[in-house]
């Protein structure tokens, strides 16, 4: 239990970024990504500036570059897709190293790569500096429907429990000599998935009864109301505002 | 299939975001009905955790490759369509914020394709099949197979549509469609096999937990002095009158929408909207294609003969097409319903005669929470 409640993506710290209220950070990241997406793809230098901005935030938050770059690997499947684009897109073509590539496709690939990478990096920074519980409080503060936030919080809380149950089932299967090698073994795995569903659902029923016996009546009590001062909002919104400046420059230049 | 930022342009992302928000609002209300009031949060939360976990369960295919379950169809069948939409949406939201899997601005696109389209298509197909097929467990599994099989390419199709509207690169839609749907038909086969097996596994142990098979539980029968009588105190059947009116409403709304779409929106449809047709003309595949046998029918090529205005003719053809489809579909349903009505009484008595005691004990053990055990105790 000791370490189970902090997720692996979170880096504990006491930097100014860690200390900001969660909903300001969520709003800032979302605004930043929107600004990045609406930047014209021809303004290549703008994306460089965005990267510098994110780098500055990472520096303030004491998130090491290696950690950030390793987390960026989640993007790899779409990088593969982006690499294919210049070969299949239409329009006029140029010869690069003996390959005939579409100009439009090259632009498209650059567009997806740059914007996607910046978006992923922003999300990674958010997850690295905000605790799970804080994130949920922030979402609630941003007026997400309370029921949705409750479902999300149950998912986060019991995600590890259910995953562990799945791991125990796998160990039980393997200790009886089972090894899934191909399609013929899907039956066994699907039976495990079915058992996992029944266990999760029954756990949900038990959790509900336990909550009822502690006075649950459809909504969770808010114990620590998070509020943000004007200064905190302005700190958080410094990132998207700077990005907006770059974006406007990108449109005019 | 998680779409990153910058793949779909900003206006389309915004529109899909609004669609996703609306669908989630509807699902929040519907899920309360499905799960029963304040039980929604813990149950839906645990099911979301289950989907999250089961997406990590790898199913080896062959030669070292493996796939995993997407879970939209499975969630819809196991816990109902509204809760299913909610669970998958929450999983996508958390994946976007925590794991940076799928862009934040593309959240609307991701939720619309992977949570809404898969779940709704799968559940509609599943319900339709369960109604038509005989009322057995095997047909539930078969219906789950077909529903999951269709739901994945349907999501790919929805993505292609969004790409056609707001894609940032002009890769030809025909190519995107063939690539996406081709790949996702393969994924869909795996999804279908695993979903069907999983639903089969759950239905074998706790049939009462499978939302899609709720109507299939047989009534508990007791043998009193050698005669079979209905067990008292079973949960009451839902009032059919209310459901019938709502069906009628849904039916009318659907009819009006399709008429509107066919009659007016088709004015603005592209002249060559079909990716396959486009690819075929581009590559000259269709040179050999012969004219269809009904090419000179009055409705050939989506237009009405002797009506000169292109738009008017297309719209009229659409309206007539919808009308014919509705009449044919209603006819089929009517015939099927007549047949099941004719045969159902004798069928159920035969089934209960043959497996009376076994069924009674089986049902009691599975629904022991509803207090049916006490009734058997008193009658024996």
């Amino acid at each position: 239990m000791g370490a189970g409640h902090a997720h692996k993506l979170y880096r504990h710290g006491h930097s100014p970024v860690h200390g900001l209220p969660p909903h300001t950070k969520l709003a800032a990241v979302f605004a930043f990504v929107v600004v990045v997406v609406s930047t014209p793809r021809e303004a290549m230098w703008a994306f460089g500036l965005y990267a510098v901005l994110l780098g500055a935030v990472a520096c303030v938050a004491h998130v090491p570059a290696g950690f950030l770059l390793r987390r960026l690997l989640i993007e790899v499947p779409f990088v593969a897709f982006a690499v294919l684009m210049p070969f299949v897109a239409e329009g006029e073509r140029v010869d690069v190293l003996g390959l005939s590539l579409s100009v439009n496709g090259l632009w498209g690939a650059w567009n997806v790569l740059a914007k996607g990478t910046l978006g992923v990096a922003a999300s990674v920074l958010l997850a690295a500096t905000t605790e799970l519980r804080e994130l949920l409080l922030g979402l609630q503060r941003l007026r997400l429907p309370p029921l949705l936030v409750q479902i999300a919080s149950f998912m986060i809380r019991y995600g590890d429990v259910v995953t562990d149950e799945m791991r125990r089932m796998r160990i039980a299967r393997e200790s009886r000599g089972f090894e899934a090698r191909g399609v013929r073994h899907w039956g066994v795995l699907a039976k495990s998935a079915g058992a996992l569903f029944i266990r999760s659902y029954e756990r949900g029923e038990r959790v509900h009864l336990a909550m009822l016996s502690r006075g649950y009546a459809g909504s969770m009590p808010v114990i620590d109301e998070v509020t943000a001062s004007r200064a905190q909002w302005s700190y958080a919104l410094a990132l998207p505002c700077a990005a907006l400046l770059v974006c406007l420059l990108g449109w005019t230049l | 299939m998680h779409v990153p930022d910058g793949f779909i342009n900003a206006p389309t992302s915004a529109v899909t975001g609004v669609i996703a928000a609306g669908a989630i609002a509807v699902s929040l209300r519907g899920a309360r009905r499905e799960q029963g009031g304040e039980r929604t949060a813990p149950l839906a939360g645990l099911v979301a955790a289950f989907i999250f976990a089961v997406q990590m369960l790898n199913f080896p295919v062959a030669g070292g490759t493996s796939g995993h379950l997407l879970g939209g169809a499975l969630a819809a069948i196991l816990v109902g369509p509204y809760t299913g939409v909610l669970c998958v949406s929450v999983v996508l939201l958390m994946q976007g914020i925590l794991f940076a899997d799928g862009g934040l601005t593309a959240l609307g696109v991701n939720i619309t394709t992977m949570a809404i389209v898969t779940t709704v298509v799968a559940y509609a197909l599943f319900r339709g099949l369960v109604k038509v097929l005989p009322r057995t467990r095997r047909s539930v599994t078969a219906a789950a197979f077909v529903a999951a099989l269709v739901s994945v390419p349907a999501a790919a199709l929805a993505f292609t549509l969004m790409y056609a509207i707001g894609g940032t690169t002009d890769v030809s839609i025909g190519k995107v469609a063939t690539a996406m749907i081709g790949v996702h038909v393969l994924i869909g086969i795996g999804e279908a096999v695993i979903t069907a097996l999983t639903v089969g596994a759950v239905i074998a142990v706790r049939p009462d937990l499978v939302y899609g098979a709720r109507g299939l539980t047989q009534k508990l029968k007791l043998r009193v002095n050698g005669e079979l009588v209905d067990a008292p105190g079973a949960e009451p059947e839902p009032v059919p009158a209310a459901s019938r009116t709502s069906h009628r409403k849904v039916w009318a709304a659907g009819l009006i929408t399709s008429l509107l779409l066919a009659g007016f929106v088709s004015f603005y449809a592209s002249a060559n909207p079909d990716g396959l047709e486009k690819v075929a003309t581009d590559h000259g595949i269709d040179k050999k294609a012969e004219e269809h046998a009904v090419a000179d029918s009055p409705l050939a090529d989506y237009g009405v003969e002797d009506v000169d205005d292109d738009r008017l003719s297309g719209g009229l053809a659409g309206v007539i097409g919808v009308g014919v489809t509705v009449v044919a579909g209603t006819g089929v349903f009517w015939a099927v319903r007549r047949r099941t009505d004719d045969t159902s009484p004798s069928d159920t008595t035969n089934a209960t005669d043959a497996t009376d005691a076994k069924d009674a004990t089986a049902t009691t053990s599975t629904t022991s929470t509803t207090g049916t055990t006490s009734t058997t105790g008193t009658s024996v």
Side-chain angles (χ1 to χ4, degrees):
Chain A
M1 279 304 267
H5 290 284
H7 61 111
K8 291 185 287 290
L9 314 174
Y10 176 68
R11 279 184 70 87
H12 185 70
H14 297 284
S15 74
V17 182
H18 282 80
L20 281 176
H23 54 287
T24 59
K25 279 190 273 189
L26 272 169
V29 168
F30 189 72
F32 177 75
V33 178
V34 168
V35 169
V36 167
V37 168
S38 44
T39 310
R41 60 188 182 185
E42 284 79 14
M44 281 184 160
W45 52 271
F47 295 100
L49 284 183
Y50 292 144
V52 170
L53 282 176
L54 281 184
V57 174
C59 197
V60 173
H62 303 303
V63 175
F67 177 83
L68 197 59
L69 291 178
R70 223 175 312 123
R71 296 284 318 142
L72 285 183
L73 287 181
I74 190 130
E75 224 201 349
V76 166
F78 262 94
V79 172
F81 190 87
V83 168
L84 275 179
M85 267 189 183
F87 295 98
V88 294
E90 323 259 292
E92 91 185 83
R93 305 184 86 81
V94 287
D95 282 329
V96 181
L97 301 174
L99 296 169
S100 164
L101 301 176
S102 152
V103 176
N104 217 316
L106 281 174
W107 276 117
W110 155 251
N111 185 45
V112 170
L113 272 185
K115 292 179 178 174
T117 311
L118 286 170
V120 170
S123 303
V124 167
L125 275 179
L126 174 71
T129 58
T130 320
E131 267 182 81
L132 271 180
R133 219 189 102 64
E134 281 196 333
L135 265 181
L136 293 171
L137 278 178
L139 285 176
Q140 190 158 18
R141 188 76 197 161
L142 290 176
R143 298 294 155 90
L144 215 67
L147 189 58
L148 207 61
V149 177
Q150 276 184 47
I151 294 174
S153 73
F154 277 110
M155 183 202 135
I156 298 279
R157 261 177 218 162
Y158 288 95
D160 282 342
V161 177
V162 173
T163 315
D164 268 357
E165 208 144 275
M166 197 172 78
R167 191 178 54 86
R168 285 198 292 279
M169 282 170 160
R170 180 174 57 80
I171 291 172
R173 282 196 306 268
E174 282 172 3
S175 58
R176 283 159 181 78
F178 174 80
E179 190 189 345
R181 257 182 264 105
V183 182
R184 276 171 301 136
H185 301 110
W186 280 9
V188 177
L189 293 177
K191 280 198 183 71
S192 304
L196 189 69
F197 169 75
I198 294 170
R199 290 185 188 183
S200 314
Y201 197 89
E202 286 177 345
R203 187 185 291 275
E205 288 171 336
R206 287 198 302 278
V207 167
H208 171 242
L209 290 179
M211 284 161 64
L212 279 189
S213 64
R214 287 157 179 78
Y216 175 75
S219 66
M220 289 295 222
V222 179
I223 299 167
D224 38 357
E225 183 74 37
V226 276
T227 50
S229 67
R230 193 167 296 224
Q232 284 171 324
W233 268 113
S234 51
Y235 274 133
L237 293 184
L239 173 70
C241 287
L244 187 63
L245 207 67
V246 176
C247 176
L248 291 178
L249 280 176
W251 276 108
T252 48
L253 292 182
Chain B
M1 212 167 126
H2 290 73
V3 180
D5 290 312
F7 206 77
I8 302 284
N9 66 12
T12 317
S13 303
V15 170
T16 50
V18 171
I19 294 174
I24 288 177
V26 171
S27 308
L28 279 172
R29 200 167 300 163
R32 279 177 188 280
R33 213 166 43 240
E34 276 172 3
Q35 304 296 337
E38 91 282 355
R39 288 176 70 204
T40 313
L43 286 180
L46 263 294
V47 174
F50 161 73
I51 290 170
F52 186 70
V54 93
Q55 286 189 348
M56 290 192 253
L57 186 62
N58 277 315
F59 289 84
V61 180
T65 57
S66 66
H68 70 85
L69 202 63
L70 299 176
L74 185 65
I77 294 164
L78 288 182
V79 290
Y82 294 114
T83 321
V85 168
L86 275 189
C87 292
V88 183
S89 305
V90 166
V91 169
L92 289 173
L93 178 74
M94 287 294 124
Q95 280 172 340
I97 293 180
L98 287 182
F99 300 92
D101 200 1
L104 284 182
T105 52
L107 208 54
V109 176
N110 282 328
I111 288 182
T112 311
T113 52
M114 280 190 279
I116 299 169
V117 172
T118 45
T119 318
V120 170
V121 166
Y123 194 72
L125 234 134
F126 178 79
R127 283 312 296 181
L129 282 175
V130 164
K131 278 226 168 73
V132 173
L133 292 173
R135 293 158 58 92
T136 57
R137 285 180 185 174
R138 198 173 290 268
S139 61
V140 171
T141 318
F145 181 87
V146 177
L149 182 68
V150 177
S151 73
V152 179
L157 195 67
F159 172 78
T160 313
L161 198 70
M162 282 174 207
Y163 194 83
I165 297 169
T168 47
T169 322
D170 59 346
V171 182
S172 79
I173 295 309
K175 276 181 189 163
V176 175
T178 22
M180 283 296 285
I181 295 171
V183 169
H184 284 88
V185 163
L186 287 181
I187 296 177
I189 293 173
E191 176 94 0
V193 173
I194 300 165
T195 304
L197 287 173
T198 309
V199 169
V202 176
I203 219 168
V205 184
R206 289 281 307 264
D208 55 318
L209 284 194
V210 180
Y211 184 87
R214 275 195 184 169
L216 299 185
T217 46
Q218 278 175 343
K219 276 217 187 111
L220 187 60
K221 298 270 186 181
L222 298 177
R223 187 176 289 278
V224 179
N225 300 331
E227 269 179 71
L228 280 178
V229 290
D230 284 336
E235 52 208 275
E237 291 283 310
V239 189
S243 70
R244 180 154 302 175
T245 53
S246 75
H247 276 201
R248 192 165 294 168
K249 255 186 220 158
V250 169
W251 194 83
L255 183 63
I256 290 169
T257 321
S258 35
L259 280 177
L260 275 179
L261 282 176
F264 296 102
V265 181
S266 64
F267 286 177
Y268 304 102
S270 158
N272 45 4
D274 189 331
L276 186 60
E277 280 182 14
K278 174 98 173 62
V279 172
T281 33
D282 285 354
H283 297 270
I285 305 170
D286 63 346
K287 273 183 199 136
K288 282 194 204 152
E290 292 170 21
E291 278 288 286
H292 201 272
V294 291
D296 50 3
S297 92
L299 289 177
D301 226 349
Y302 301 113
V304 180
E305 229 181 4
D306 302 331
V307 180
D308 289 334
D309 187 353
D310 259 6
R311 294 184 160 188
L312 190 64
S313 140
L316 261 179
V319 171
I320 296 172
V322 169
V324 171
T325 315
V326 165
V327 169
T330 317
V332 169
F333 266 103
W334 189 64
V336 168
R337 188 190 277 176
R338 284 253 330 245
R339 225 190 54 206
T340 49
D341 280 352
D342 287 348
T343 53
S344 57
S346 57
D347 273 353
T348 46
T349 44
N350 283 343
T352 42
D353 272 345
T355 59
D356 45 4
K358 226 195 302 177
D359 259 11
T361 45
T363 334
T364 348
S365 64
T366 51
T367 58
S368 56
T369 46
T370 54
T372 38
T373 36
S374 60
T375 52
T376 39
T378 49
S379 66
V380 173

